[in-house]
Amino acid sequence: MERVIGIDLGTTNSCVAIVEDGVPTVIPNRGGYKTTPSMVAITEAGKRLVGHIAKRQAITNAENTVYAAKRLIGRKWSSPQVKNAILTASYKIVEGPHGDVRIQLRDKTYSVPEISAMVLQEMKLFAEDYLSEPITKAVITVPAYFNDNQRQATKDAGQIAGLDVIRIVNEPTAAALAYGFGKNVEKTIAVFDLGGGTFDISVLEIGSGGVFKVIATAGDTFLGGEDFDARIIDWLVQGFREQHNVDLRQDRMALQRLKDASEKAKCELSTSLETEINLPFIISSNRNEALHLQRTLTRAELDTLCEDLVERCIEICKQTLEDARLDRDEIEDVVLVGGMTRMAKVQDSVRDFFGREPCKGVHPDEVVALGAAVQGAALVDESKQMILLDVTPHPLGIMTFGSNFEELIPQNTTVPTSRSKIFTTSRDNQTAVKILVMQGEHDKATDNELLGEFILTGLRRAAKGQVEIEVTFEINSDGIVSVSAKDLETGQQQSIQVTASSGLTKEEVGDMMESAKDYLVERRSTDEFEGIRQEAEKLISEIERMFPQVEQIVASSDFGRDAIGKARGIVERSRQAIVKKDAAAMKEQMESLTRTHRMFKGVVARPQG
Amino acid sequence: MRVPRPKSGCDVKSLPLSPVEGFLLSRIDAATNERDLATMTGLSPAVVAAALDRLAQLGAIEPAAGAAPVSAPLSVSPRVAVSVKPPRAEPPPAPARSEPPTSARAAVEPAPRSAPVLYDAAELDEIVEIDDDKKRRILDLFYRLDDLTYYEVLAVERDADKKKIKSAYYAIAPEFHPDRFFRKNLGAFKPKIEAIFNRVTIAHDILTAKDRRAEYDAYLAQTQKNRVMAAIIEQTPRDVARAPVEVAIAEPASIAGAPGRYASEPAPSLAPPSRPASDRPAASVRPSVEPGPISAEAARIRRETLARKLSGTMRRPTPPPVAPDPAAPQRTADALRVRHDQAIADARRAQLQRYLDEGKAALVEQQFAAAASAYRIAASLAPDDAEVQARFVEAMRLADASLADGYLKQAQYEESQGRWGEAALSYSKVCNGLPGNAAAHDRVAFTTLKSSANIRRAVEFARRAVELEPKTPQFHLTLASAYQAAGLEKSALGEIERALELAPGDQKIKDLAQQVRVQAQKSAN
């Protein structure tokens, strides 16, 4: 049986593991370290460097050394996160041909998956060295809160690296797998994963028989150790400016040294109460004097600098528990994952929030890779009795009339799954609808991520709201989303498999959405009022259609004229109720409407003469 | 789903039955399936399953396979016949059912060997990387999914708590999670496995959320109510036949508090109870109908008491019997016979009145099903009484209507949930109740089409709707869609044109007609 490696492709560090003789084990790199910096550099000679060696030369080759590429993967050039990264990164971020993000190293530009692939390739090599056999299959982890584009980009990176990525697993879920592996426990746990670039919180139930069911998951893909470092850098830069009136940000090399020093200081403050930051000859002054940076940072100062970041994490935890319909005391264990959870302030806040001491049994840097290896082994080895029931982290839906986002598959739905909803046309004589498949939690569709689109044509010409279209979303066990739309009357059907959006520009998306407006479908409202309104309108239009005929038949009698007058009154009152959107009044009128309608039909149907 | 059948030649009175088992046995008629038995008796499915297992072990029933025979024994109950036979010393060997009787009848357990196979055996032949047992299990479960409640899907009791539901889910979900078949060639089994997993997960999600569970329970209650009502209406005057069995129920109840104590021993050959418990209300009718055990004098007293109690018809009490003339034995015998016949006739009248009253009371309380049931018995007791017959017909009409109403609610919930197949079934039950209701037939056709199951059935129902109300354009349109689904484009066009004739001004139909014409043209080329 072919072996499957598990790779934790982290923002700052990556880790690879395998299940050996039933035991998940981390594979050390050539230097003997269990984690490898996720850094890639191109030397002056054009040589590619990955890992520790890239990190070591980063200061002298800052412009050609990439770190935290994960923060860019699967993102659009124009996203605020990328804009933010352009400001702080020491390497050059440029726009790609599809509005995607490219990184310029020396005279060549690389796509982000290409950079990640370099790291993955390195991890693959370590595994092959260690196991003395070729490896082609891998499970790669991503933050639970990654959207489909980011996941697909990660998969692409694996493919570029020559790996068959048999599954993408969420990092906190992987951590839970490693935590629960081999323990026959039934527990509800929370995994608090604060890594280099991302924050995730997942609540899981570990059931008997090796079932891991994710109840809820949430996070922030732009909240992690890098942000904590940035706070320290800001603090240093600002202090330096006040002291010397020199902006250190102008010098990429100085910035790289600051970054290094900040990360080191942060780590030191996990064990000590204060640390010295000492960067001699960091820059030359305007008068060509060498300037030195020397400051002391205390743990209390760091806590203040980063207070809001930690608070954001706790806020998300709160929301997740609500989504999971759980109380804090129902969480039986809290697992801390990611290097940032070593920070005392983070640990304290987690302890305060959950009201319990976090679990110390797992290694925060290795547990995710171990879990990925466990999942890989479980997939290919039938004798493994472990099964993972994961959820979709973001709502999936389509854009409807007025740029509204209409959800079909809610957040935290166990996959595989499928859901359908019926929509109607939004324009008279509309013969085509454009289905824009979107992912995200915003009500406004344009704030969400566009996953794909297709057009359903050949609709029957009819007044708006008359043509019914059933849209079905399906997520299979590989996490692939397929969407189909079906005209309920003609049975006409169109579908797509949503795969990675290669990164469209905001302008492109904007244009597309603009031109798509005529095609958009309107959500059939399910609320009571809407139901009655439609029924009432149908009755009114039919009654009105019959009016002349009925009038002709019954106008000869007083009784008939009286009835006609009454019917007019009823129709008028119903109309008003509809205009005023007065549900109660409309309900009142419905009975009269129905009666009138029946009566009219009776009169019309009766043989005349 | 088992459809148990009473075993002929078995003396039920000799069996060590618990009251529950006896009660259940009295409801077994070779037509009612296991679930309906549970519904009728108000027992939990697990209890019914356990009782059926034991009844089968004792040889009282045969868990018959497949659909019930058309001629379900109604009045020809074997129970009456066997009750006079000598008790058998040994119960026949138990049929092969090894499960412990206490286990809940889990949906996901393999269906009993004798259960009907719902899938085409050819589906098993598809070459995929799943072993045969698993294939069977998948197919079996997949085709029963729509028949199972969420509780049954998870194999939990109706009152199971959240924890039990969760652990049931954890037991079942892994088995049907697609990861168990990772990168296997699954062919047509893949969507089925995913459908099962999806349903199991929905069952878990709904039953573990308080509000959604309550909503679902309400729906189930409605379905149950419908089933109970259907069962009551279909009930026939069986109480006469049932009497001996109820006697059998009464007996063990008085001697054994623990029914289980007989479980491991061979059935002791109990003598039949010396006297039928004639004071039991349900049994009280029998002696007065069957000649013999009661003296004419007792019958007379009973008859008079009944007469007084009943109806208020000003009937004069029968004069006390004249002392027999010793000189004329023949006359005495004649008189006795007359008196005896009269006693029977009176008892019948009393019985009739009782059912009429029962029916009337039920009507007042709007218990239409019960009313129909009572009047049906009354009608069978007085086949020549036109008024009784008329009342029966009326009660049946009301019962059918109210039942149809219940099914309609059920169908609408199902339709709103997009469960087209189930909705189609429920709508068809509405049609059973209201055979003249065109709209209901139309809905059957519509939902059947949506479930894209049986197009022929959709066509049939749509046709019926059109037959019933040929002047409603909508019904023609549904029929047209059904024809279209069946590939009968010309017929479809014909129906649309008819609809157009009926509603000449309707733009929607005009458009549709145009579109279909174009399509027909295209396919003709």
Side-chain angles (χ1 to χ4, degrees):
Chain A
M1 185 182 23
E2 210 188 326
R3 312 182 74 168
V4 183
I5 52 172
I7 302 176
D8 170 10
L9 178 62
T11 308
T12 44
N13 289 295
S14 294
C15 182
V16 58
I18 190 136
V19 175
E20 253 190 320
D21 304 322
V23 184
T25 317
V26 172
I27 298 173
N29 65 20
R30 281 174 187 157
Y33 297 102
K34 291 196 170 174
T35 61
T36 304
S38 309
M39 290 174 90
V40 174
I42 305 289
T43 64
E44 211 165 354
K47 197 174 170 236
R48 185 204 291 178
L49 305 173
V50 181
H52 283 105
I53 187 164
K55 188 172 185 177
R56 247 174 262 135
Q57 56 84 62
I59 290 172
T60 54
N61 186 23
E63 285 188 37
N64 297 300
T65 304
V66 186
Y67 57 87
K70 192 176 176 180
R71 301 200 115 180
L72 303 173
I73 202 163
R75 291 197 192 271
K76 296 186 175 82
W77 165 253
S78 49
S79 66
Q81 289 90 344
V82 172
K83 290 267 177 282
N84 188 13
I86 292 168
L87 290 179
T88 54
S90 59
Y91 50 91
K92 212 169 162 197
I93 300 170
V94 296
E95 186 177 355
H98 307 294
D100 57 338
V101 179
R102 300 285 160 110
I103 294 164
Q104 174 119 34
L105 298 176
R106 307 248 171 228
D107 50 358
K108 212 177 155 208
T109 57
Y110 299 84
S111 69
V112 183
E114 275 178 286
I115 300 288
S116 292
M118 294 176 193
V119 178
L120 289 172
Q121 214 161 16
E122 196 77 358
M123 307 312 285
K124 177 177 177 251
L125 280 175
F126 296 152
E128 285 174 342
D129 279 2
Y130 180 84
L131 298 164
S132 317
E133 64 179 57
I135 291 288
T136 59
K137 286 192 164 74
V139 170
I140 301 179
T141 61
V142 295
Y145 220 50
F146 257 21
N147 65 32
D148 271 37
N149 289 341
Q150 291 168 302
R151 282 163 203 268
Q152 188 59 45
T154 306
K155 241 182 164 170
D156 290 349
Q159 209 172 349
I160 296 168
L163 286 167
D164 170 10
V165 182
I166 65 168
R167 182 61 53 87
I168 294 282
V169 179
N170 294 329
E171 283 158 10
T173 315
L177 289 180
Y179 164 87
F181 181 79
K183 296 179 199 163
N184 200 9
V185 289
E186 286 186 45
K187 254 187 189 175
T188 304
I189 64 164
V191 179
F192 184 101
D193 178 358
L194 188 57
T198 57
F199 169 67
D200 278 329
I201 170 82
S202 286
V203 178
L204 296 100
E205 274 175 17
I206 303 175
S208 52
V211 183
F212 292 75
K213 184 175 198 290
V214 181
I215 308 292
T217 196
D220 188 329
T221 48
F222 229 81
L223 173 56
E226 296 272 326
D227 300 292
F228 287 72
D229 295 350
R231 291 293 163 88
I232 302 175
I233 297 173
D234 284 349
W235 179 75
L236 291 173
V237 168
Q238 204 189 336
F240 198 80
R241 195 188 301 128
E242 281 163 15
Q243 204 182 340
H244 301 286
N245 200 23
V246 173
D247 186 2
L248 288 175
R249 285 194 192 281
Q250 298 309 315
D251 186 328
R252 287 202 186 264
M253 187 156 135
L255 201 58
Q256 184 61 41
R257 285 180 74 186
L258 281 176
K259 200 184 143 24
D260 250 30
S262 299
E263 192 188 335
K264 201 164 136 254
K266 180 186 72 183
C267 293
E268 279 173 7
L269 287 177
S270 293
T271 46
S272 59
L273 287 172
E274 65 171 49
T275 183
E276 183 110 336
I277 299 168
N278 203 344
L279 296 169
F281 304 102
I282 187 149
I283 205 164
S284 302
S285 76
N286 303 335
R287 282 165 287 157
N288 260 343
E289 282 171 285
L291 296 175
H292 318 296
L293 186 149
Q294 189 175 18
R295 286 192 83 176
T296 305
L297 180 64
T298 65
R299 190 187 276 184
E301 275 171 315
L302 175 65
D303 289 354
T304 316
L305 286 175
C306 305
E307 204 171 12
D308 61 312
L309 296 176
V310 179
E311 250 165 44
R312 245 160 83 196
C313 297
I314 298 298
E315 242 349 275
I316 295 171
C317 290
K318 217 181 264 172
Q319 185 58 46
T320 309
L321 284 189
E322 265 172 44
D323 293 347
R325 301 182 184 212
L326 286 171
D327 289 331
R328 288 173 210 193
D329 53 9
E330 286 175 86
I331 303 292
E332 292 164 275
D333 208 350
V334 181
V335 181
L336 295 182
V337 182
M340 273 312 300
T341 58
R342 288 201 182 84
M343 186 174 164
K345 172 81 178 166
V346 172
Q347 290 187 357
D348 292 345
S349 301
V350 170
R351 190 184 303 112
D352 286 351
F353 177 74
F354 287 103
R356 63 174 58 245
E357 195 62 38
C359 161
K360 293 262 196 292
V362 299
H363 193 296
D365 298 331
E366 298 167 9
V367 66
V368 171
L370 292 172
V374 167
Q375 172 70 355
L379 286 177
V380 296
D381 182 355
E382 281 165 64
S383 64
K384 293 272 186 308
Q385 284 304 302
M386 190 216 83
I387 206 95
L388 171 61
L389 309 175
D390 216 333
V391 299
T392 151
H394 300 277
L396 275 170
I398 66 172
M399 178 157 124
T400 61
F401 191 68
S403 290
N404 289 319
F405 176 67
E406 189 61 41
E407 177 181 300
L408 271 105
I409 297 185
Q411 191 181 10
N412 295 327
T413 302
T414 306
V415 288
T417 188
S418 71
R419 301 281 165 96
S420 308
K421 232 179 212 178
I422 292 175
F423 296 85
T424 61
T425 46
S426 63
R427 300 269 163 130
D428 288 342
N429 294 322
Q430 179 175 346
T431 56
V433 288
K434 188 172 216 162
I435 308 287
L436 292 169
V437 182
M438 320 207 76
Q439 184 172 48
E441 27 286 304
H442 303 280
D443 291 338
K444 191 111 190 87
T446 38
D447 294 341
N448 292 322
E449 193 82 6
L450 177 73
L451 294 183
E453 57 171 271
F454 63 99
I455 293 174
L456 177 65
T457 53
L459 300 182
R460 177 169 60 77
R461 280 180 182 279
K464 67 177 175 188
Q466 293 269 331
V467 180
E468 290 186 325
I469 298 140
E470 185 182 60
V471 178
T472 304
F473 270 55
E474 213 182 293
I475 308 180
N476 73 8
S477 41
D478 293 317
I480 304 294
V481 178
S482 6
V483 183
S484 63
K486 187 176 175 188
D487 178 348
L488 282 177
E489 207 150 329
T490 62
Q492 193 117 215
Q493 197 163 356
Q494 296 285 329
S495 64
I496 53 158
Q497 258 198 6
V498 180
T499 44
S501 159
S502 58
L504 295 156
T505 66
K506 194 130 197 164
E507 286 74 23
E508 273 175 321
V509 174
D511 288 351
M512 211 165 59
M513 285 177 173
E514 207 50 50
S515 65
K517 271 191 179 143
D518 281 351
Y519 293 122
L520 289 176
V521 292
E522 187 167 26
R523 161 96 162 82
R524 157 167 286 193
S525 172
T526 48
D527 67 39
E528 198 188 16
F529 175 81
E530 192 58 21
I532 299 174
R533 185 189 65 79
Q534 288 182 357
E535 182 69 11
E537 280 188 335
K538 195 179 119 207
L539 289 176
I540 290 174
S541 78
E542 284 186 34
I543 289 171
E544 293 206 305
R545 194 166 50 76
M546 290 185 278
F547 247 122
Q549 215 179 336
V550 172
E551 223 163 0
Q552 203 185 355
I553 296 168
V554 302
S556 51
S557 70
D558 282 348
F559 170 76
R561 277 191 296 276
D562 191 33
I564 292 269
K566 270 187 188 159
R568 281 199 202 285
I570 288 163
V571 168
E572 194 46 46
R573 279 194 294 280
S574 308
R575 275 252 169 76
Q576 274 168 7
I578 290 171
V579 172
K580 285 185 198 149
K581 294 196 193 284
D582 183 345
M586 219 152 76
K587 260 196 227 161
E588 252 171 60
Q589 292 301 325
M590 270 315 278
E591 204 183 319
S592 317
L593 264 184
T594 319
R595 208 176 37 228
T596 309
H597 180 250
R598 202 168 42 221
M599 187 185 79
F600 271 35
K601 269 181 104 172
V603 171
V604 172
R606 201 185 303 148
Q608 288 161 45
Chain B
M1 189 64 54
R2 276 191 283 182
V3 181
R5 178 207 303 260
K7 199 164 201 162
S8 54
C10 169
D11 178 12
V12 293
K13 274 192 279 182
S14 70
L15 299 176
L17 297 177
S18 74
V20 166
E21 285 153 5
F23 178 47
L24 192 67
L25 183 56
S26 73
R27 260 64 186 170
I28 289 173
D29 57 4
T32 316
N33 69 21
E34 195 175 332
R35 192 206 287 172
D36 288 346
L37 280 172
T39 313
M40 275 165 68
T41 54
L43 300 169
S44 80
V47 170
V48 170
L52 288 182
D53 284 339
R54 196 167 131 74
L55 286 172
Q57 256 170 25
L58 293 171
I61 57 161
E62 300 171 303
V70 187
S71 59
L74 299 174
S75 50
V76 238
S77 171
R79 288 171 297 243
V80 175
V82 297
S83 64
V84 292
K85 283 194 181 170
R88 284 169 54 157
E90 286 293 319
R97 285 198 61 81
S98 53
E99 291 150 274
T102 46
S103 75
R105 187 129 321 277
V108 288
E109 283 171 18
R113 227 173 16 153
S114 53
V117 175
L118 293 169
Y119 50 87
D120 188 343
E123 288 189 66
L124 283 172
D125 298 338
E126 190 180 342
I127 295 167
V128 292
E129 293 172 81
I130 310 174
D131 65 51
D132 278 1
D133 279 352
K134 192 84 191 175
K135 275 187 190 170
R136 263 184 225 111
R137 206 155 140 55
I138 291 166
L139 291 174
D140 182 59
L141 191 51
F142 176 76
Y143 286 105
R144 286 190 303 145
L145 270 186
D146 284 347
D147 296 336
L148 300 172
T149 67
Y150 292 151
Y151 294 97
E152 286 166 332
V153 164
L154 292 174
V156 292
E157 308 259 342
R158 227 14 118 61
D159 55 357
D161 60 10
K162 197 170 161 179
K163 208 177 158 202
K164 276 202 182 122
I165 290 167
K166 280 202 175 294
S167 57
Y169 175 68
Y170 289 146
I172 298 163
E175 201 189 335
F176 295 100
H177 193 283
D179 277 0
R180 270 287 138 78
F181 311 91
F182 186 71
R183 289 201 176 172
K184 293 266 166 66
N185 170 21
L186 300 178
F189 283 85
K190 189 176 165 105
K192 294 191 173 77
I193 291 166
E194 291 190 348
I196 293 171
F197 177 77
N198 209 356
R199 182 62 64 90
V200 169
T201 302
I202 288 174
H204 163 269
D205 291 352
I206 286 184
L207 296 187
T208 51
K210 234 183 199 166
D211 41 347
R212 295 167 78 189
R213 182 172 177 177
E215 198 180 305
Y216 180 69
D217 282 346
Y219 158 71
L220 275 192
Q222 179 66 51
T223 1
Q224 280 221 341
K225 216 162 104 194
N226 292 346
R227 253 191 242 122
V228 172
M229 278 180 63
I232 292 174
I233 291 177
E234 280 154 25
Q235 227 171 41
T236 40
R238 249 183 302 178
D239 55 345
V240 175
R242 203 184 295 139
V245 179
E246 286 182 26
V247 172
I249 299 164
E251 287 308 310
S254 58
I255 54 169
R261 75 178 199 178
Y262 291 106
S264 54
E265 359 178 319
S269 55
L270 286 181
S274 54
R275 271 186 62 84
S278 54
D279 51 347
R280 283 177 55 84
S284 64
V285 184
R286 191 177 77 110
S288 56
V289 176
E290 286 178 11
I294 290 181
S295 73
E297 180 61 16
R300 189 187 66 83
I301 293 167
R302 179 187 290 270
R303 176 200 342 139
E304 282 177 8
T305 323
L306 274 169
R308 270 198 301 279
K309 276 189 196 161
L310 291 175
S311 74
T313 44
M314 299 303 287
R315 203 151 11 115
R316 272 173 32 192
T318 322
V322 188
D325 182 354
Q330 181 57 44
R331 262 175 53 212
T332 313
D334 283 352
L336 274 173
R337 196 181 306 124
V338 167
R339 220 183 291 158
H340 176 239
D341 289 349
Q342 204 177 3
I344 291 172
D346 284 354
R348 272 193 191 283
R349 217 171 297 136
Q351 200 183 9
L352 171 64
Q353 194 57 46
R354 181 158 71 83
Y355 282 113
L356 288 176
D357 289 351
E358 222 174 71
K360 207 170 170 185
L363 273 186
V364 169
E365 285 168 38
Q366 305 219 323
Q367 303 281 340
F368 298 120
S373 175
Y375 278 123
R376 175 196 289 247
I377 298 170
S380 73
L381 289 172
D384 302 326
D385 187 329
E387 200 202 319
V388 172
Q389 294 296 332
R391 271 197 241 172
F392 164 55
V393 170
E394 174 64 8
M396 267 316 272
R397 196 187 60 73
L398 289 169
D400 280 344
S402 73
L403 187 59
D405 197 45
Y407 278 127
L408 189 64
K409 277 184 202 154
Q410 188 182 337
Q412 281 162 347
Y413 177 87
E414 285 156 353
E415 200 181 338
S416 75
Q417 299 284 307
R419 285 150 60 182
W420 305 119
E422 288 160 74
L425 193 64
S426 299
Y427 276 124
S428 74
K429 284 179 180 163
V430 177
C431 292
N432 290 345
L434 305 169
N437 186 316
H441 286 82
D442 182 65
R443 289 323 283 170
V444 175
F446 181 77
T447 45
T448 305
L449 277 179
K450 279 215 177 170
S451 72
S452 57
N454 188 341
I455 291 164
R456 184 185 294 176
R457 189 178 155 87
V459 171
E460 272 170 26
F461 272 89
R463 266 197 198 133
R464 180 82 189 121
V466 167
E467 268 170 41
L468 287 165
E469 273 185 38
K471 294 223 163 137
T472 309
Q474 183 53 48
F475 299 161
H476 287 281
L477 291 181
T478 307
L479 181 54
S481 326
Y483 278 143
Q484 249 180 331
L488 306 171
E489 279 173 1
K490 277 195 185 142
S491 307
L493 192 55
E495 287 305 323
I496 292 171
E497 275 161 0
R498 237 151 285 158
L500 199 54
E501 281 165 29
L502 291 165
D506 194 321
Q507 191 59 39
K508 184 177 164 185
I509 302 176
K510 263 187 202 161
D511 295 342
L512 190 61
Q514 184 56 36
Q515 200 179 338
V516 173
R517 268 186 217 119
V518 169
Q519 261 177 21
Q521 199 75 42
K522 261 189 217 157
S523 55
N525 292 341

